[in-house]
Amino acid sequence: MESELEQLLHQAQRVTDRSDRTEVISSLTAKLMRSQSLGRPFKDEPKNAVYRDLRDRIKASLREAITKAIGQYQGDRDTVQTWSREVQAAALHTALDDDQLKQLALEAQRHLFRSPQRQHALTQLIEAIRQSGRLAHPHRSKFSPAFYDLLYDEALNQTLVYVCRKIDNYDPERGTAQKFMNWVNFRLDRQIIECRRDFNEQDAQELPNLNDLDTIAAPAPASTSLADEVKDYIATDPEGVFEATHIRHHPKASFQAIALARFAERSWEDIAHEFAIKVPTLSSFFQRCCEKFAPQFQRLL
């Protein structure tokens, strides 16, 4: 049985009348926009101009991308999910230019540190950076492809954490025509060098456990356990960094999701099966996050 999206695609390919085709394309655009999280305003600011403009821009780009790609859908040869992903990726690459990313950065800056509004803006910004297609890949030629992927994954996650924590350091007036992604990519370049210096392949094979979380925070009050303090802080995620830090190409496999699963005493094999990620990759990422967030736990708990 065809899905609604497949039905609309086949309908769009069949219609010849211009007005009918326009109507079907509008329905396709609306269908794909329902699953698009970027541009959704914070609940207390439903008319926020930054998010409204971003959503309008994405919608217009998506409509254009759909119009161009309707004839490329082959039905039995291409799954509708693949077609949808490619169309949305093309639309986001067009819509998320440097100015749009800069507006999201400035939106985060205007809210108080650790406020829900800032957390929402940072979540939108990090997702927009990932989907923009504007991230650089510095130093790629210096390493083997497999090793570079490991370095890049770690460096990118650390860079995005830096963006969340140091967003107030971004100055749009600094230098000549200062672009937001210049600021991000400069940090990414440095982070890859630092990760290469710190990377230890032997450590990547060790499986961490809950003791890793217990040892990275300062002593908790006697009335509560240290593990509960750490768990609550990760679940609350006041700066949005635990959810934003995830394994490359696997946004659901965030440090927050993995840590909470481990607190629930789920095995590494169970978690790996859920995210369709190999245990060494999963556990290595988790171990590095524990080390990376150690100062934050020590300072804030």
Side-chain angles (χ1 to χ4, degrees):
M1 183 177 180
E2 289 188 337
S3 66
E4 179 185 356
L5 186 56
E6 288 174 301
Q7 292 175 6
L8 288 171
L9 274 170
H10 288 141
Q11 184 179 352
Q13 290 177 331
R14 290 194 301 267
V15 295
T16 56
D17 183 79
R18 184 173 181 178
S19 61
D20 290 343
R21 185 180 177 87
T22 299
E23 184 177 349
V24 176
I25 290 174
S26 295
S27 297
L28 278 166
T29 303
K31 172 69 176 176
L32 295 185
M33 283 297 295
R34 285 199 289 270
S35 62
Q36 180 55 250
S37 61
L38 282 172
R40 289 180 179 172
F42 184 68
K43 59 183 179 180
D44 292 340
E45 296 182 311
K47 297 183 179 180
N48 184 295
V50 172
Y51 300 127
R52 184 187 65 237
D53 292 348
L54 175 57
R55 195 146 186 96
D56 288 346
R57 187 177 178 88
I58 293 175
K59 185 177 180 180
S61 295
L62 185 57
R63 183 183 183 88
E64 182 178 350
I66 289 172
T67 302
K68 292 179 179 179
I70 284 177
Q72 300 172 7
Y73 179 62
Q74 300 297 318
D76 56 340
R77 292 178 56 190
D78 300 331
T79 66
V80 69
Q81 291 84 2
T82 300
W83 182 90
S84 176
R85 284 196 301 270
E86 291 176 351
V87 166
Q88 293 190 67
L92 291 175
H93 287 181
T94 300
L96 298 172
D97 59 16
D98 195 82
D99 184 65
Q100 290 294 317
L101 296 170
K102 181 173 71 174
Q103 294 306 314
L104 286 174
L106 297 178
E107 175 66 18
Q109 286 182 346
R110 80 179 184 90
H111 294 293
L112 294 175
F113 177 68
R114 297 179 65 179
S115 67
Q117 292 89 343
R118 173 173 283 216
Q119 181 174 336
H120 178 79
L122 288 173
T123 300
Q124 289 274 307
L125 175 61
I126 296 305
E127 182 64 18
I129 291 173
R130 288 185 177 276
Q131 299 291 341
S132 69
R134 299 178 186 277
L135 284 164
H137 288 76
H139 310 293
R140 175 182 277 172
S141 62
K142 298 179 181 178
F143 309 103
S144 68
F147 187 59
Y148 184 79
D149 284 346
L150 288 174
L151 282 178
Y152 191 83
D153 179 40
E154 174 65 9
L156 177 57
N157 281 326
Q158 291 191 20
T159 298
L160 296 180
V161 170
Y162 176 87
V163 170
C164 289
R165 296 179 63 183
K166 302 294 184 180
I167 190 62
D168 290 321
N169 289 358
Y170 169 64
D171 181 2
E173 303 302 325
R174 182 181 178 184
T176 303
Q178 175 73 355
K179 293 185 177 181
F180 175 73
M181 285 306 297
N182 286 352
W183 182 67
V184 175
N185 283 323
F186 176 76
R187 181 69 188 184
L188 178 58
D189 185 293
R190 291 177 56 192
Q191 204 68 58
I192 286 179
I193 296 174
E194 293 178 12
C195 286
R196 176 64 185 91
R197 188 182 302 120
D198 298 337
F199 192 87
N200 187 320
E201 292 184 90
Q202 182 176 359
D203 289 343
Q205 300 303 317
E206 297 177 0
L207 295 181
N209 53 48
L210 287 182
N211 289 330
D212 294 315
L213 290 174
D214 290 341
T215 58
I216 61 180
S223 59
T224 59
S225 74
L226 178 58
D228 286 341
E229 287 285 323
V230 176
K231 177 183 176 181
D232 290 345
Y233 186 66
I234 292 173
T236 303
D237 194 10
E239 296 180 46
V241 295
F242 302 141
E243 182 180 11
T245 304
H246 59 75
I247 295 176
R248 189 182 182 192
H249 302 316
H250 295 276
K252 293 184 179 180
S254 66
F255 171 69
Q256 182 189 59
I258 297 169
L260 294 179
R262 290 297 293 151
F263 272 115
E265 299 184 356
R266 292 178 58 188
S267 69
W268 283 110
E269 289 75 13
D270 184 28
I271 302 171
H273 178 73
E274 176 185 348
F275 295 122
I277 300 172
K278 294 181 179 178
V279 170
T281 300
L282 196 71
S283 61
S284 173
F285 166 76
F286 180 76
Q287 179 68 61
R288 295 196 303 272
C289 286
C290 288
E291 296 171 355
K292 175 171 58 182
F293 292 131
Q296 188 169 338
F297 289 123
Q298 292 169 350
R299 184 179 67 253
L300 296 177
L301 284 182

